[in-house]
């Protein structure tokens, strides 16, 4: 199964393998994928995967990749 099937639930409602690693999801409040991130966390939690989600207020998608472009003050 592809990782996408775990997120979307295609081909039935798949559960995660028990050996899935502990997972930390970090998403911005303005990220268009925020809701999908929360759905993923819920599915992982239901599969008894150790999962944590942090939502950062005011941040958009890709914010972790912008640091090299932000001028130091």
């Amino acid at each position: 199964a592809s990782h996408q099937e775990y997120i979307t639930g295609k081909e039935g409602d798949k559960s995660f393998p028990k050996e899935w690693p502990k997972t930390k999801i970090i998403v911005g409040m303005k990220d268009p994928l925020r809701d999908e991130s929360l759905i993923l966390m819920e599915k992982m939690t239901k599969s008894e995967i150790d999962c944590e989600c942090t939502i950062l207020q005011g941040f958009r998608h890709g914010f972790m990749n912008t640091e090299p472009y932000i001028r130091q003050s």
Side-chain angles (χ1 to χ4, degrees):
S2 73
H3 70 284
Q4 188 65 28
E5 291 173 10
Y6 290 106
I7 297 169
T8 63
K10 291 180 182 174
E11 296 182 22
D13 192 18
K14 297 195 181 288
S15 60
F16 288 81
K18 294 297 179 196
E19 64 274 2
W20 200 276
K22 181 176 181 179
T23 303
K24 171 78 173 182
I25 299 170
I26 303 172
V27 64
M29 186 66 172
K30 295 181 178 182
D31 191 326
L33 299 176
R34 182 195 66 217
D35 293 343
E36 287 80 1
S37 298
L38 296 175
I39 291 168
L40 176 62
M41 184 191 75
E42 181 181 331
K43 287 185 175 189
M44 293 179 90
T45 301
K46 284 181 180 178
S47 294
E48 299 179 0
I49 302 299
D50 190 358
C51 181
E52 181 182 341
C53 183
T54 300
I55 301 174
L56 301 174
Q57 298 296 321
F59 286 88
R60 300 182 187 282
H61 185 77
F63 68 90
M64 295 177 82
N65 295 322
T66 60
E67 184 179 355
Y69 306 105
I70 299 173
R71 196 176 92 219
Q72 295 289 329
S73 36

